[in-house]
Amino acid sequence: MMISLYNAVGVLFCYLWLIVLVFDDDIGVAYKKKHCELVEGFIKAGHYPIQAVESLEEVEVVGGIDISSSKNSNDFVVMAFSVFEYPSMRPLAIFDDIAVITEPYITDYLAIREAAPVAEFVNRVLAEHPHLRPDVILCDGNGQFHIRRCGLACHIGALTGIATVGVAKNLNLSLLKAAGADDDVLKATDKLIANVSSQSSDGYIPFDVILPVLMNVTRLGGSRVPVYVSAGYGIELDLATTLVISTAKNRICEPIRSADLHSREKVREYFDN
């Protein structure tokens, strides 16, 4: 009887092990997604302490974050964190760090891969240089203009306790698809973007094609190719957009541009030489 029981347990264990082997990746990805969504629930509920910003007068230092990956392997990256005096936009410092990020890219879940290493990097830098703590960090990516209204910039703000803004170079189409965008919505989107591009000076138009408004289509630095600004954590959308415009000399605002150029240079130096 005991032998039969042991055999049954052994067979069951083998079946379970086979299931894990076959579906291991799917189970792991599903777990990561659920954990990310749980964290986002706390972020959207405001449970993370934040150094909120309510006016430009409160901003004296602005930071910028960007990541560049090696051409040989996306897992090898350089993170760069720039710091500028505001409103003069005088560069104060720039820092970089190498990381090996093994988390996978999952569509609409970029925070799973990048939020923790970026936030840990920023927190480590500021622990060593507290006088350089920015009032706002501008992030290359989306904030609340996201399929779950909690993009990478929101995560970084929550994990650093610093107000954040998402500045995306490309329009996040996932949100439009999730909203069931039809041809009329897509045409309205194209028209709105064209209106911003045709402006004679820098400025923005609220992206009211879908409601509520979570993003401003924004023209920077005289460029006719807009960027897409959304509030991250601890700052309102219009204030965030005004801040971004005031930090730009080119299409990409200076804090992010500086971090981008620096991280690319270091990737070539460390990995792709």
Side-chain angles (χ1 to χ4, degrees):
M1 182 68 178
M2 290 300 295
I3 294 175
S4 298
L5 179 60
Y6 285 138
N7 286 339
V9 171
V11 170
L12 177 61
F13 178 80
C14 288
Y15 274 119
L16 291 174
W17 182 246
L18 284 172
I19 290 172
V20 170
L21 288 177
V22 172
F23 297 104
D24 182 47
D25 288 343
D26 290 339
I27 293 172
V29 168
Y31 169 78
K32 293 176 190 297
K33 286 182 175 181
K34 287 299 181 184
H35 180 265
C36 183
E37 291 166 9
L38 178 64
V39 170
E40 289 170 350
F42 285 112
I43 293 174
K44 289 184 285 188
H47 290 313
Y48 286 82
I50 186 69
Q51 172 189 314
V53 171
E54 297 181 351
S55 70
L56 288 182
E57 287 70 28
E58 298 175 29
V59 181
E60 296 181 351
V61 180
V62 177
I65 279 286
D66 203 358
I67 296 180
S68 294
S69 59
S70 168
K71 292 184 293 185
N72 300 316
S73 172
N74 286 333
D75 291 346
F76 293 92
V77 306
V78 174
M79 302 174 290
F81 174 38
S82 66
V83 184
F84 286 75
E85 183 181 75
Y86 185 84
S88 70
M89 295 308 296
R90 178 172 66 91
L92 297 178
I94 190 162
F95 304 91
D96 63 76
D97 194 20
I98 298 171
V100 179
I101 303 179
T102 57
E103 294 288 358
Y105 278 109
I106 304 174
T107 303
D108 297 323
Y109 289 86
L110 182 60
I112 290 176
R113 178 175 170 86
E114 295 187 359
V118 168
E120 289 168 5
F121 166 50
V122 170
N123 288 334
R124 188 167 63 253
V125 168
L126 296 181
E128 297 174 1
H129 307 277
H131 61 290
L132 293 176
R133 182 180 179 86
D135 300 294
V136 182
I137 297 176
L138 308 182
C139 306
D140 179 21
N142 288 292
Q144 294 175 26
F145 188 70
H146 182 268
I147 193 169
R148 295 182 305 282
R149 300 189 185 182
C150 197
L152 178 63
C154 303
H155 285 258
I156 292 174
L159 294 174
T160 60
I162 299 172
T164 50
V165 180
V167 185
K169 301 180 185 74
N170 301 302
L171 179 62
N172 182 358
L173 295 176
S174 294
L175 186 57
L176 297 182
K177 293 176 181 177
D182 55 18
D183 288 343
D184 290 339
V185 170
L186 296 178
K187 288 178 181 177
T189 298
D190 290 340
K191 182 178 179 180
L192 192 153
I193 293 172
N195 287 341
V196 174
S197 300
S198 64
Q199 289 180 344
S200 59
S201 60
D202 292 350
Y204 67 90
I205 296 178
F207 187 76
D208 57 2
V209 175
I210 55 175
L211 298 174
V213 174
L214 299 173
M215 178 268 287
N216 288 327
V217 182
T218 308
R219 175 174 169 168
L220 299 178
S223 173
R224 293 191 177 276
V225 181
V227 295
Y228 306 92
V229 178
S230 56
Y233 196 58
I235 189 170
E236 294 299 321
L237 175 58
D238 287 343
L239 176 59
T241 308
T242 301
L243 175 64
V244 169
I245 292 173
S246 68
T247 64
K249 297 178 182 177
N250 301 279
R251 180 187 176 229
I252 308 303
C253 55
E254 284 303 299
I256 292 178
R257 182 173 181 270
S258 176
D260 174 57
L261 293 174
H262 186 82
S263 62
R264 289 174 185 269
E265 177 186 347
K266 292 301 179 181
V267 161
R268 289 191 293 270
E269 178 182 338
Y270 297 146
F271 302 125
D272 297 339
N273 54 14

